[in-house]
Amino acid sequence: MFVRRIAVVGTGYVGLTTGACLASLGHDVVCADVDAAKVERLRRGEIDILEPGLAELVAEGMAAGRLTFVLGATSAMRHTAEGPEVMFLCVPTPMGVGGVADLSIVEAVVEEVRELLPPGCVVVNKSTVPVGTAERTAELLGRDDVAVVSNPEFLREGSAVYDFLNPDRIVVGGSQQDAAERVAALYARLGAPTVLTDAPSAELVKYAANCFLAMKLSYVNAVAELCDRLGADITDVTEGMGYDKRIGQAFLQPGPGWGGSCLPKDTSAMLQLADAADFEFRLIRATIDTNTRQRQRMVEKVRLAVTGKRGGSLSHKRIALFGLTFKAGTDDLRDSPALAVAALLRQAGADLVGYDPALRPDNPHPDLTGVTVVDDPYLAAKDAEAVVVLTEWPEFRSLDWSRLAESVSRPTVIDTRNLLDPAVARRGGFEWIGIGKS
């Protein structure tokens, strides 16, 4: 294979995974970040994010001399005399005013490296960006000898390394076919189906895929509510649906709503794209509205379980929250549905004590304001009026529910993930309340 000189700007979930995995494929990679302390930690092999296999890949790449960390995009351009052949932009594109993606960091990096890029270099937008960003990037560069392509990422937090090395597909879009083919060739060893297209189509693929997944999740949560009302079992319903190859088993698990760093941002951005095109995307709007309702519905379940009334008061009721991250296997709190439910419970006057395997009480986070975080689930449950399972950490299944029943004020568990074995919880003395369960 051809070994390429690659620069990756940004060392978050996407950037660090991209850099480490490309190095594992044999390329020479330099990763840049503006956080000096973070760069020093990475040079020592210290990884800030919880991502299985990532620390090992970083260590292997550094030991082989194929992975280097530098401070700032300018340093990445000057890391070798020849400069990079490909530069990946993996910087944050947070939700801005009105749901529009904020491209200020992308544009700042482009302006910084514009004069430093060697002729023939390919600039790759890896971050999730609105349709038209590749064209905008090319305009900012103002370089006819530098191509811009879109190569969206499809990485799930908690399995990002696996997803990168075992992709369902590689999507590359650009106006210059040879540049798109050069970027696609970086992944040749992975043997994945490759879609070569124009930049707008590649940019839209990521939004379209994530919005579809969000719709699927909102749909199954709505069906779960219907199951609650009709006395049906959502597990059996989704099993029956999932065997249909047109539907599949994935994303059919009900929960407290969807969240994380991608789906909320991308559904809002899709609405903005549609509005700009004078198209009313009612499906996406209904998807978001259904998700908001799902979080409120979880609070209604807690009210009913604790007070016996849907509108009962939770004022000064102690509630134990099991799980605070947006999903198991990560320490990411961004747009966590668990925290959204916690905020609603707090507004209702509840006293909240939370436990999450990925969080430490001595490392406070602003998103956890109003939640007392402890490092022991049994301590979290002490004197609680209810235990609410909000994140699907497998270890919650193996807790001693008899011991928990002795600690709580009221042995009731609201399992918003249908994670637990109801029989085990009930044998422990708990009333188990699930989602979409008769």
Side-chain angles (χ1 to χ4, degrees):
M1 63 167 281
F2 291 104
V3 176
R4 296 294 188 187
R5 299 185 308 276
I6 298 172
V8 177
V9 181
T11 59
Y13 278 97
V14 175
L16 188 55
T17 302
T18 297
C21 289
L22 286 173
S24 77
L25 295 178
H27 302 294
D28 292 327
V29 183
V30 54
C31 291
D33 202 282
V34 295
D35 186 334
K38 183 178 185 181
V39 170
E40 285 302 315
R41 290 194 298 273
L42 289 170
R43 287 171 174 170
R44 296 193 298 266
E46 299 173 9
I47 310 301
D48 295 335
I49 55 181
L50 180 61
E51 196 60 58
L54 185 55
E56 292 80 1
L57 273 191
V58 169
E60 291 169 7
M62 293 173 65
R66 293 193 300 267
L67 182 61
T68 309
F69 297 97
V70 299
L71 179 62
T74 297
S75 297
M77 298 303 101
R78 294 171 173 165
H79 183 66
T80 61
E82 304 90 345
E85 297 171 275
V86 181
M87 183 186 78
F88 283 85
L89 292 172
C90 301
V91 296
T93 55
M95 190 188 306
V97 178
V100 179
D102 182 351
L103 299 179
S104 58
I105 302 177
V106 173
E107 294 176 351
V109 172
V110 171
E111 292 179 357
E112 179 182 350
V113 303
R114 179 171 49 202
E115 303 299 329
L116 302 175
L117 293 168
C121 183
V122 181
V123 174
V124 182
N125 277 326
K126 192 72 171 173
S127 304
T128 302
V129 293
V131 175
T133 301
E135 182 181 357
R136 170 64 176 158
T137 302
E139 291 174 354
L140 287 174
L141 284 171
R143 296 274 303 269
D144 293 336
D145 58 347
V146 174
V148 178
V149 304
S150 175
N151 173 218
E153 53 86 12
F154 302 98
L155 308 178
R156 298 168 297 168
E157 290 184 35
S159 59
V161 170
Y162 178 86
D163 291 344
F164 190 102
L165 298 176
N166 301 273
D168 294 324
R169 73 290 203 195
I170 303 294
V171 178
V172 186
S175 59
Q176 299 181 33
Q177 181 79 4
D178 61 332
E181 290 176 350
R182 284 170 59 194
V183 172
L186 299 175
Y187 306 94
R189 286 181 55 187
L190 302 179
T194 300
V195 178
L196 293 177
T197 182
D198 55 85
S201 297
E203 291 164 340
L204 189 56
V205 165
K206 177 62 182 294
Y207 286 118
N210 275 355
C211 287
F212 184 84
L213 295 177
M215 284 193 294
K216 195 172 182 182
L217 288 169
S218 284
Y219 178 78
V220 77
N221 281 335
V223 173
E225 181 174 359
L226 192 59
C227 287
D228 275 336
R229 293 170 181 255
L230 298 179
D233 189 315
I234 187 62
T235 301
D236 294 341
V237 171
T238 54
E239 181 182 8
M241 292 169 57
Y243 285 120
D244 188 326
K245 292 183 176 65
R246 298 168 300 175
I247 297 173
Q249 299 282 355
F251 283 75
L252 286 183
Q253 180 66 37
W258 42 264
S261 62
C262 291
L263 297 189
K265 176 170 67 74
D266 292 352
T267 48
S268 293
M270 181 70 105
L271 280 183
Q272 292 296 324
L273 288 171
D275 289 345
D278 195 25
F279 171 62
E280 187 176 359
F281 212 143
R282 295 180 180 177
L283 273 174
I284 302 300
R285 198 171 300 280
T287 295
I288 296 172
D289 291 344
T290 299
N291 195 50
T292 300
R293 170 172 168 72
Q294 185 69 1
R295 296 167 176 182
Q296 295 166 339
R297 204 166 75 85
M298 299 303 99
V299 175
E300 290 175 4
K301 279 185 170 286
V302 175
R303 285 183 187 274
L304 184 60
V306 172
T307 71
K309 302 175 183 178
R310 292 190 181 277
S313 174
L314 291 176
S315 181
H316 300 300
K317 300 292 187 181
R318 183 182 172 97
I319 307 295
L321 308 180
F322 281 12
L324 298 166
T325 56
F326 92 92
K327 72 172 186 177
T330 178
D331 56 359
D332 197 347
L333 294 169
R334 288 177 292 178
D335 273 303
S336 169
L339 294 188
V341 173
L344 292 173
L345 289 170
R346 192 167 62 249
Q347 289 172 16
D351 297 327
L352 305 178
V353 182
Y355 166 76
D356 191 291
L359 303 179
R360 301 194 312 272
D362 59 353
N363 187 22
H365 192 284
D367 289 343
L368 294 171
T369 301
V371 180
T372 302
V373 178
V374 298
D375 58 5
D376 185 335
Y378 300 98
L379 179 59
K382 182 175 174 55
D383 298 326
E385 297 276 350
V387 174
V388 185
V389 177
L390 290 168
T391 309
E392 72 282 18
W393 287 99
E395 71 175 61
F396 294 156
R397 294 194 189 101
S398 58
L399 293 174
D400 185 339
W401 288 89
S402 296
R403 178 183 170 189
L404 284 168
E406 295 173 356
S407 298
V408 298
S409 173
R410 181 194 303 267
T412 300
V413 56
I414 298 93
D415 186 357
T416 72
R417 299 280 186 169
N418 290 345
L419 173 72
L420 308 176
D421 183 334
V424 171
R426 287 168 180 149
R427 281 200 300 270
F430 272 84
E431 177 190 8
W432 179 88
I433 301 169
I435 305 300
K437 292 284 190 176
S438 58

